[in-house]
Amino acid sequence: MSESETYLSKHIYTLFSFDTEYCADSVEWCPHKPNQNVFVCANYQLQVVQSEGEEKKRRLGRILLFSVKEHDSLILHQTIDTAGVLDQKWCHSIVNGYSLLGVVNSINMVEVYKLKSDKIEIELVTSIKNVCDCDDALILSLDWSTGVHGSQEPEIICSDSKGGIHLMKLVNNSLVLLNTWHGHKFEAWISAFYYWDTNIFFSGGDDGIFLKFDKRVGNQIVGKNQSHHAGVTSLHTSCFKENILVSGSYDENIRLWDIRNIKNEVNSSHMPGPVWRVKWNPFYENYLLAVCMMGGVHILDVEYSKIDIIGSYHEHKSISYGADWSYLDSECGEKNASKRSGIIATCSFYDHLLCVSKYVTDTRIHSQQSDLTDVQGTI
């Protein structure tokens, strides 16, 4: 180590907070202008009711549509009551002139909404029910195929609570189920495309396994990894670097992979809690957002040789489940012109708390003669 070195550290400050009433499990920012200040928060609430002397469970949900104006206001524009929502994702590219939101829920259904062009409101475009052949299945995750290559007929990959993986395509505003794979013994918590070649996709399950598929070879599994010591909960491929995949697990580890060899990890890092979601920053290739349930939300600087936590957020007192990078830059209101600052949204489950926060970069100088000191940023 040299006599003195410069370190960059992200400090995260809450701008807005909101009580979602129902348990909150997902937040997703719209990627498209002029609506990059718009995001959705998903809710999942298990309700136990007595009916004819028996306990019956109902899984309720809501989709909450918000917009933000930095330092000014958080506005709730729309509340859609629905079944319990397990995951939601905006399509990366505009389709037929609209921003599309994919939603999966607790009644075995995948839905696609569009953001209206005349006001901040979403409306249902299409849905497909009974995706899984089991009536009591929950659809747990989804991903769009459009991370690198846009399409007017994008595909969706989703996974379910019975271990199934399902591939569908949006054609003429209708979802068409293309194929189904049974990959896992228990819940398939996550499914994700390899964005550089969407013939390839991945899934992770509660059996501690993540799998690689290639739709060109039918229903066989083309790769299998058992490195994680508990359920694999999150997978995300990089839109900047080909062949790069990151995984997260209940075993409290994040692992970096080259998809050409998923037997041996490139790097790994032990996190402060079970990892529920990992998301690459949409503009800066090395930043990763990690949601660590009871261990907080963290910004990581990820390289082949190291994985460093450079910012942490602990305002959520319950299980942190959802987090996403905004496509806004906190300084100029447009997409990230600088990696020095930005906006994130996070949410937690039992305390039904949604937070919108700003991260800023502080420069710190390390000297062998003195300890590191925190430099307070300003909002």
Side-chain angles (χ1 to χ4, degrees):
M1 181 182 294
S2 61
E3 189 68 17
S4 72
E5 295 180 2
T6 300
Y7 288 78
L8 296 179
S9 176
K10 295 293 184 191
H11 289 252
I12 306 173
Y13 307 90
T14 304
L15 299 176
F16 310 107
S17 59
F18 185 91
D19 185 343
T20 62
E21 297 185 14
Y22 286 0
C23 300
D25 60 12
S26 171
V27 288
E28 297 287 331
W29 289 88
C30 180
H32 308 127
K33 291 182 178 181
N35 296 306
Q36 292 175 324
N37 64 326
V38 172
F39 71 95
V40 284
C41 179
N43 298 159
Y44 172 96
Q45 185 85 16
L46 183 62
Q47 184 182 74
V48 180
V49 295
Q50 293 287 337
S51 177
E52 299 178 353
E54 294 183 2
E55 281 191 352
K56 293 187 178 180
K57 295 180 179 179
R58 297 174 58 201
R59 295 181 172 91
L60 307 177
R62 287 174 180 159
I63 304 169
L64 307 177
L65 182 70
F66 293 91
S67 71
V68 297
K69 184 177 181 182
E70 194 187 1
H71 310 311
D72 186 8
S73 58
L74 172 69
I75 303 169
L76 175 62
H77 294 271
Q78 186 180 13
T79 299
I80 297 176
D81 289 298
T82 181
V85 178
L86 283 304
D87 196 15
Q88 51 185 352
K89 296 283 192 327
W90 294 95
C91 184
H92 306 84
S93 58
I94 295 285
V95 178
N96 296 323
Y98 291 98
S99 298
L100 299 183
L101 177 71
V103 178
V104 295
N105 65 31
S106 61
I107 55 171
N108 201 356
M109 180 183 288
V110 179
E111 299 175 320
V112 175
Y113 294 82
K114 69 178 181 182
L115 182 62
K116 291 184 177 181
S117 57
D118 57 340
K119 58 180 175 178
I120 301 177
E121 186 174 291
I122 57 174
E123 66 179 13
L124 186 66
V125 174
T126 185
S127 64
I128 182 168
K129 190 168 172 55
N130 299 323
V131 178
C132 176
D133 58 10
C134 300
D135 292 338
D136 60 343
L138 286 67
I139 310 300
L140 299 175
S141 78
L142 84 157
D143 194 19
W144 293 88
S145 61
T146 47
V148 171
H149 307 292
S151 172
Q152 292 303 296
E153 293 188 345
E155 293 181 340
I156 291 175
I157 194 74
C158 64
S159 60
D160 68 47
S161 58
K162 304 298 182 180
I165 317 299
H166 311 278
L167 179 67
M168 56 195 67
K169 189 171 188 174
L170 185 65
V171 181
N172 296 325
N173 287 331
S174 295
L175 285 171
V176 178
L177 184 62
L178 300 179
N179 203 353
T180 290
W181 293 258
H182 187 78
H184 300 273
K185 295 180 181 178
F186 308 111
E187 291 91 342
W189 291 121
I190 190 70
S191 53
F193 278 105
Y194 173 54
Y195 296 134
W196 297 85
D197 180 355
T198 55
N199 289 301
I200 298 170
F201 52 91
F202 300 89
S203 68
D206 206 50
D207 49 12
I209 297 170
F210 85 81
L211 302 173
K212 179 181 178 181
F213 300 88
D214 189 326
K215 66 182 183 183
R216 294 167 295 192
V217 299
N219 283 56
Q220 70 184 82
I221 296 165
V222 299
K224 182 177 181 180
N225 182 281
Q226 297 176 271
S227 297
H228 286 287
H229 305 301
V232 178
T233 53
S234 193
L235 297 162
H236 199 202
T237 54
S238 171
C239 292
F240 289 98
K241 299 177 182 178
E242 291 188 62
N243 303 311
I244 295 300
L245 173 75
V246 65
S247 65
S249 169
Y250 285 136
D251 70 5
E252 302 186 354
N253 284 286
I254 284 175
R255 290 179 166 87
L256 189 68
W257 307 92
D258 185 318
I259 69 162
R260 295 167 296 186
N261 177 17
I262 64 168
K263 295 296 184 183
N264 299 296
E265 67 188 43
V266 175
N267 202 349
S268 64
S269 179
H270 187 263
M271 299 301 293
V275 181
W276 181 250
R277 281 290 179 264
V278 288
K279 290 185 178 179
W280 292 107
N281 184 289
F283 299 109
Y284 183 58
E285 64 185 30
N286 284 6
Y287 284 174
L288 185 75
L289 197 57
V291 183
C292 296
M293 299 182 76
M294 292 78 72
V297 179
H298 306 275
I299 297 175
L300 280 65
D301 190 355
V302 179
E303 299 181 19
Y304 290 110
S305 59
K306 65 176 183 178
I307 300 177
D308 294 330
I309 295 176
I310 58 173
S312 297
Y313 188 70
H314 293 286
E315 290 303 307
H316 296 283
K317 306 308 178 187
S318 176
I319 299 174
S320 298
Y321 266 145
D324 196 24
W325 306 93
S326 170
Y327 287 72
L328 292 170
D329 180 87
S330 65
E331 301 302 328
C332 64
E334 296 183 357
K335 76 176 185 180
N336 228 16
S338 166
K339 67 190 182 203
R340 293 187 61 84
S341 62
I343 303 294
I344 61 172
T346 56
C347 68
S348 47
F349 202 68
Y350 294 112
D351 60 352
H352 33 85
L353 179 64
L354 165 70
C355 295
V356 177
S357 305
K358 175 179 178 178
Y359 62 86
V360 294
T361 301
D362 291 335
T363 303
R364 300 187 289 178
I365 305 298
H366 173 83
S367 170
Q368 290 183 343
Q369 282 76 38
S370 63
D371 293 331
L372 291 176
T373 58
D374 289 333
V375 179
Q376 292 297 318
T378 58
I379 300 180

